Amino acid sequence: SFTRPAGGFCLWLDVGNGEEACQTLWSEVGIKVLPGAYLARPDAAGHNPGAPYIRLVLVHDVALLEPALEKIANTL
């Protein structure tokens, strides 16, 4: 599901394992994204709430973003 935010330019996608998804996207289609775990800290139990996510920064125009998002969707 998706809800357009009032502002911002980052999209957090739950992919199950953010680090694995980042490695797959870079090695298979040359797209760099950031694992959500890199932007969060583990809690007292050692659980990192960002671990299942990747963060996409949507700063380019639609002509560049659309094919990149299609590659991401097809790869993951």
Side-chain angles (χ1 to χ4, degrees), residues 22-69:
C22 288
Q23 291 173 349
T24 298
L25 288 171
W26 178 241
S27 66
E28 292 186 16
V29 291
I31 294 177
K32 290 183 184 179
V33 296
L34 187 67
Y38 292 11
L39 299 168
R41 292 175 40 178
D43 60 18
H47 171 73
N48 187 319
Y53 296 92
I54 58 174
R55 187 186 76 157
L56 308 176
V57 179
L58 307 175
V59 295
H60 292 287
D61 59 28
V62 173
L64 184 60
L65 287 173
E66 188 173 354
L69 291 172

